[in-house]
Amino acid sequence: EIEKKQEKLTEANSIHRNTNRAKTYFEKLPDGEDIGLFIENPLGQKYDETRIDLDANIAGEGVDNLVVIEVIKPVIRLKSKGIPKLVQKGIVIVESQKIEA
């Protein structure tokens, strides 16, 4: 949400640096273990009903070749001992994209 808001700012560089620093901190928590939170922005990724990490609302009329066009909530994973676990499903809006031949 913060990243979406910073895109609209004219002086987003300092905010961008701060959000990247916060994300890096969460990805490598300072307790020395192999543990961290990872935030994934699925914007532009393909979507189908087999994805368990996303809850999607379909925009438009088509249901083939769905692509994420808006992210309401990102996917959050917790990595512990090298194994990622889903903490928060992403909530997205998807739309059918035409395939050009």
Side-chain angles (χ1 to χ4, degrees):
E1 197 171 320
I2 293 170
E3 288 175 332
K4 281 169 66 173
K5 289 178 181 177
Q6 84 184 16
E7 288 174 6
K8 297 176 184 176
L9 298 176
T10 56
E11 297 177 19
N13 289 342
S14 64
I15 294 171
H16 183 68
R17 186 175 59 248
N18 292 5
T19 55
N20 281 343
R21 193 177 320 154
K23 284 170 64 175
T24 301
Y25 175 78
F26 284 116
E27 290 173 2
K28 296 177 183 172
L29 295 175
D31 63 2
E33 291 184 31
D34 184 18
I35 187 170
L37 288 172
F38 293 87
I39 300 168
E40 177 187 345
N41 181 350
L43 186 65
Q45 293 181 5
K46 291 184 181 266
Y47 174 81
D48 64 46
E49 63 276 352
T50 62
R51 286 195 68 162
I52 61 170
D53 61 344
L54 295 177
D55 284 333
N57 293 309
I58 300 174
E61 297 180 17
V63 292
D64 295 325
N65 304 314
L66 296 171
V67 174
V68 177
I69 61 165
E70 185 175 345
V71 177
I72 309 300
K73 285 187 179 182
V75 177
I76 300 178
R77 301 179 198 280
L78 173 67
K79 185 176 112 180
S80 178
K81 299 178 184 171
I83 301 169
K85 297 178 183 175
L86 187 62
V87 174
Q88 171 181 287
K89 284 185 174 189
I91 298 176
V92 298
I93 297 174
V94 299
E95 187 173 57
S96 180
Q97 301 293 308
K98 293 182 181 179
I99 297 177
E100 295 184 28

